[in-house]
Amino acid sequence: METTNVNVNMFEALKADSHSSPEEPPYDPLPPIEELPLPPTFRWGTATAAYQIEGSPVADGKGASIWDTFSHLSPSRTNNENGDVACDHYNRVDEDLDLMASYGVDIYRFSIAWARTIPLGGRNDPINAAGIAFYNKLIDGLLARDIEPVVTLYHWDVPAALYEQYGAFLNTAEFVADFESYARVCFEAFGDRVQKWITFNEPYIIAIFGHHSGVLAPGRCTEAGGDSSREPWVVGHTLILAHAAAVGLYTRDYAGIQKGEISIVLNGHWYEPWDASDPADREAAQRRLEFYIAWFGDPIFLGRDYPPAMRTQLGKRLPQFTEGERAQLMELAPRHTFYGMNHYSTKFAKALPSSPPLDDCTGNVEELSTDKAGKAVGPVSGMPWLRVAPLGFRKLLGWIWARYKLPIIVTENGCPGPGESQMPVEEAAEDKFRMTYLGLYLDAISRAITEDGVQVEGYYVWSLMDNFEWSAGYGPRYGITHVNFQTLVRTPKHSAWYLNRTFEERRRGSQW
Ligand code: GBH
C-alpha cells in the first residue's frame, strides 16, 4: 500500500499558500502534526448522503424529493447543476464498496433516500420493494467486507409529495406521523443488520438554510413567500418531535431485539469572542453556540426546554412543548448513547448592540472570520467559511462533553483544498492541504481524550468521494477520492492512504 509521509510541519506550506493572496488575513501558527495516539477501540470511516452521490432519480420506481425539485429550478439555485447523475453510486455500488474496503474503513455512514423506499413518502403510501432492495444490497455488501453500516434516515431529501401536500416540516403533526412510519419501514427492513441509526442530519441546516435564508431546499425565506421570523422555529420543533417519535419507536419495539443505538447528528462551528476582553462578546460566543447547537441538544439530550436565551429573544415565535411532549423528551433523553457531531471550522462572535430584528436566528450575534485584531483562526481552505482551526474543534468537543456527557462520534469532518476544483486529477490527488487538516483535527481529538477527559469514539471523514455539494454544485471537492464527473472514474487521493495508515498507527499508540 502506498503511504504518504505528512509527519512534517505543513504550516510553512500553508502560510505560503495563504500569503499568495494579498487579502488573506494573518493567523497564529498552527501546531505541527504529531500523529498522537487514539484508543484501540476508536473506529473510523467515511460518510456520504444519498442525494449527493446516488444519481438515478427515477430508477426502479423512486419518487421525487425536494432536492430533485430544487436542483431543477430556473433560474438555477444550484450552480446550473443537479444530482441526476452525481457519482452514479446507484449503479456503481460494488465498485464503491471495494474502494472503501481498500481504504480499510471500520464503518460507512450513508443516508437512505426516503423517496426510494416510499416514493410518495406518506404513512399510507406504498413501499417500493426495489428501493429496499438497493439498500439491502449496500448493507450486505458492507457486512461482507466487514464494514459496519451507520445509517442516516434523513439527509435533506424529503419526498416532494409531502412538501406539496402539507409543507413537510411546516406541519408538525403530519410530518411526525409520516417520519415515524418511514422509520418503522427502515427498522423492519434493515434493523436486523444495522446497529447505528441517525434520525436527522443537521437539523439546524434544515431549519435555517432551508427555511430562513432559503439557500438549500425547499428554499423558503420571507422574500420567497415564507416567513423567516417564524418558520425556522416551527421546523426545528417538528424535527425534535419527529426525532423523539423515531427514538421512542426504536426503543419500544426494536432495540430489545436488534440491539442497536439511535441518535441524531448536530452540526456547529466553534465560536471565539471577537474581542476576548469584552464580556459582551464572550457572552455572544456562548449564546451563538446555544442558538446553533443547544437549540436541539437541550431538548433531545437533556429533556429540557429550549435554552433560556432563545426563549427570551424569540418569545412566542418559539413553539412550546406540551406537558406530554416534555414528559416524552425527559423519558427519551437518557436513551441516547452517543452524540453525532458534524464539525468543520471556527468563527468569531461579536455582540450586536441593538435589539435583534424579528428574523434574527443567531442570538443577535455578528459572525466574522477575523477577530478585533484582524487575525483569522487559521488558513483558509477551498471554502471561504472553512478555516483550519483544530483548537476550536478541541474546545467544541469539550463544550459538548461538558453539556451532554455523552460519548461523541465525529460523524463528519473534512475540507476541500484551496484551488482543488481547478486542478487536474494528478494534482488534486496529492492533497497535502487536506492531509494537514485531517492530521491536525485528529490530534485535537487525541488531546481532547487524553488531556481533557472527553470521550470520543469515532471519526467519519466527509467524504468518501467528491460529490454534489448542494447549492454549490460540483465545485467544492470534499472527497478523499477524486471523482471525474464526466467519466465517473474514481481516483484515491493521498489523504485516503494517510487516514488508512494513521489510524493503524494511532490505534497502536502507547497510552492504551
Ligand atoms: C455538511 O453540512 C453536510 O452534512 C454535507 O452534506 C455537506 O456536503 C458538508 O457539510 C460540506 O458542506 O453560513 O457562511 O458559515 C455542513 C453545513 C455548510 C454549515 C456551510 C455551514 C457555512 C456557510 N455547513 N455552512 S456560512
Side-chain angles (χ1 to χ4, degrees):
M1 173 160 300
E2 183 182 349
T3 61
T4 312
N5 179 22
V6 294
N7 200 3
V8 291
N9 190 348
M10 281 300 297
F11 167 63
E12 289 306 319
L14 295 180
K15 206 163 67 173
D17 220 40
S18 76
H19 282 191
S20 62
S21 159
E23 314 89 71
E24 265 302 298
Y27 49 82
D28 288 334
L30 291 165
I33 302 170
E34 293 181 64
E35 305 206 329
L36 301 169
L38 292 166
T41 52
F42 198 88
R43 292 169 74 72
W44 85 280
T46 58
T48 63
Y51 190 74
Q52 295 183 271
I53 64 165
E54 285 180 359
S56 301
V58 296
D60 304 324
K62 181 182 170 291
S65 83
I66 55 169
W67 269 96
D68 291 304
T69 314
F70 192 73
S71 64
H72 287 87
L73 292 177
S74 173
S76 176
R77 297 170 72 172
T78 52
N79 195 37
N80 291 304
E81 289 161 325
N82 59 59
D84 286 0
V85 177
C87 303
D88 195 30
H89 171 73
Y90 190 72
N91 297 307
R92 291 165 201 254
V93 57
D94 291 322
E95 180 185 346
D96 292 336
L97 285 163
D98 287 342
L99 187 66
M100 273 186 271
S102 79
Y103 294 167
V105 301
D106 303 305
I107 73 92
Y108 174 48
R109 174 183 174 228
F110 64 93
S111 80
I112 293 177
W114 186 342
R116 241 186 238 296
T117 54
I118 311 173
L120 297 171
R123 53 200 182 278
N124 298 313
D125 294 323
I127 296 170
N128 180 29
I132 303 281
F134 171 73
Y135 295 107
N136 272 329
K137 179 175 153 181
L138 172 58
I139 291 165
D140 291 341
L142 289 166
L143 295 175
R145 290 164 181 81
D146 208 15
I147 301 170
E148 185 191 343
V150 176
V151 178
T152 309
L153 290 172
Y154 186 79
H155 201 127
W156 304 359
D157 49 355
V158 70
L162 300 186
Y163 183 65
E164 283 150 24
Q165 280 161 35
Y166 59 78
F169 309 101
L170 294 168
N171 185 326
T172 304
E174 287 291 325
F175 185 85
V176 170
D178 283 340
F179 185 73
E180 182 176 349
S181 169
Y182 161 59
R184 183 187 287 285
V185 167
C186 293
F187 300 151
E188 287 285 336
F190 313 120
D192 56 337
R193 288 151 296 152
V194 173
Q195 304 273 284
K196 248 191 202 84
W197 294 96
I198 288 156
T199 53
F200 292 99
N201 180 71
E202 303 185 347
Y204 181 95
I205 302 297
I206 299 168
I208 299 300
F209 286 69
H211 300 79
H212 179 278
S213 62
V215 170
L216 302 176
R220 295 182 73 90
C221 57
T222 303
E223 300 72 48
D227 181 353
S228 302
S229 74
R230 196 184 58 82
E231 288 186 354
W233 313 113
V234 173
V235 170
H237 201 70
T238 302
L239 288 164
I240 291 165
L241 294 174
H243 168 81
V247 173
L249 171 68
Y250 189 75
T251 40
R252 234 180 15 253
D253 293 0
Y254 297 94
I257 307 152
Q258 299 183 346
K259 306 262 181 275
E261 315 170 79
I262 183 163
S263 192
I264 190 166
V265 162
L266 305 183
N267 70 305
H269 311 291
W270 171 252
Y271 290 90
E272 286 290 336
W274 181 73
D275 176 356
S277 71
D278 184 344
D281 285 357
R282 294 204 298 269
E283 271 171 42
Q286 281 303 306
R287 202 164 58 246
R288 187 70 194 93
L289 287 169
E290 292 184 0
F291 269 72
Y292 215 124
I293 294 172
W295 174 11
F296 302 99
D298 286 9
I300 289 171
F301 297 119
L302 303 177
R304 282 207 205 133
D305 189 26
Y306 294 111
M310 293 183 73
R311 277 267 165 242
T312 307
Q313 179 178 319
L314 301 167
K316 287 211 174 61
R317 286 178 294 122
L318 192 60
Q320 296 284 349
F321 294 110
T322 64
E323 290 275 306
E325 289 163 352
R326 282 297 295 277
Q328 180 196 25
L329 291 170
M330 287 275 280
E331 187 204 317
L332 294 177
R335 310 276 164 174
H336 295 88
T337 50
F338 69 95
Y339 178 108
M341 174 186 186
N342 284 4
H343 177 78
Y344 292 87
S345 195
T346 290
K347 292 190 177 198
F348 294 102
K350 186 175 193 289
L352 289 170
S354 54
S355 55
L358 267 192
D359 67 352
D360 172 70
C361 64
T362 63
N364 204 24
V365 174
E366 190 183 354
E367 297 186 27
L368 297 144
S369 60
T370 49
D371 68 6
K372 193 180 180 190
K375 268 202 245 168
V377 284
V380 71
S381 72
M383 297 297 267
W385 61 271
L386 204 170
R387 290 178 177 275
V388 186
L391 188 56
F393 178 40
R394 178 177 168 184
K395 289 183 187 175
L396 185 56
L397 285 165
W399 189 89
I400 289 167
W401 173 250
R403 197 167 182 113
Y404 302 121
K405 301 278 185 316
L406 279 173
I408 297 168
I409 299 175
V410 179
T411 40
E412 280 183 32
N413 176 246
C415 70
E420 188 173 342
S421 47
Q422 276 79 51
M423 291 174 190
V425 54
E426 304 77 37
E427 201 183 335
E430 282 182 35
D431 54 343
K432 288 217 169 57
F433 188 95
R434 178 176 291 101
M435 286 189 278
T436 305
Y437 176 95
L438 299 176
L440 289 169
Y441 275 60
L442 290 173
D443 276 350
I445 292 178
S446 179
R447 288 208 173 85
I449 297 174
T450 57
E451 295 171 36
D452 310 336
V454 180
Q455 268 190 58
V456 190
E457 294 184 335
Y459 179 87
Y460 311 163
V461 69
W462 185 269
S463 177
L464 168 63
M465 54 190 160
D466 297 339
N467 57 49
F468 179 72
E469 180 52 28
W470 308 112
S471 51
Y474 295 99
R477 291 174 173 269
Y478 281 83
I480 59 168
T481 308
H482 178 274
V483 176
N484 178 320
F485 291 106
Q486 267 73 53
T487 63
L488 298 167
V489 168
R490 282 94 161 115
T491 307
K493 301 181 192 175
H494 288 191
S495 54
W497 311 127
Y498 173 64
L499 288 177
N500 168 289
R501 197 210 64 195
T502 199
F503 280 106
E504 292 256 307
E505 291 180 357
R506 287 168 189 239
R507 288 188 294 203
R508 272 193 258 116
S510 53
Q511 260 95 328
W512 281 277

